[in-house]
Amino acid sequence: MDADANGNNLHRNVIFRDGKDKADQITPFSVYDSQDPEKLWEWMGAYEAKTGGRLLAIPHNGNLSNGLMFDDITLTTKTPIDRDYAQRRMRWSRSMK
């Protein structure tokens, strides 16, 4: 994922634990698919279900997100972050860089 049209950096580095043979089984996810991290997490879950592989998304330069990476509401629906959201974020994006 990359920056949105307003220049807010929402970039994430997605790390594949497994080899090229598993990564080649999916179509990469980018900002053109969605800027919503929840959509990225869904894609990551689909990858793991399909391949048995493992992924990790590392938010990159969150300090340039104008607070969007650390907001207390979701990016696209603008609803308050709840326990489910927090658990999914911990599952898929547990490291900040």
Side-chain angles (χ1 to χ4, degrees):
M1 296 179 63
D2 214 339
D4 77 3
N6 297 319
N8 298 317
N9 183 16
L10 300 174
H11 176 82
R12 288 165 171 81
N13 295 314
V14 177
I15 309 301
F16 290 74
R17 179 179 178 180
D18 311 289
K20 182 179 180 326
D21 60 323
K22 289 187 180 181
D24 282 346
Q25 296 178 37
I26 52 96
T27 302
F29 188 92
S30 78
V31 69
Y32 300 111
D33 298 301
S34 177
Q35 294 181 44
D36 188 339
E38 293 181 86
K39 297 295 181 189
L40 173 65
W41 302 336
E42 288 173 13
W43 174 86
M44 293 171 72
Y47 167 82
E48 289 190 358
K50 179 177 182 174
T51 68
R54 295 290 309 266
L55 294 174
L56 174 67
I58 302 174
H60 187 251
N61 283 341
N63 56 319
L64 299 177
S65 72
N66 289 320
L68 293 177
M69 273 197 193
F70 310 102
D71 210 344
D72 60 355
I73 60 173
T74 62
L75 182 65
T76 55
T77 63
K78 304 300 184 203
T79 56
I81 291 174
D82 59 11
R83 177 184 290 277
D84 176 62
Y85 182 96
Q87 288 175 331
R88 286 182 292 134
R89 182 164 59 185
M90 283 295 297
R91 164 70 174 97
W92 298 114
S93 201
R94 45 178 57 193
S95 176
M96 295 295 291
K97 182 176 180 183

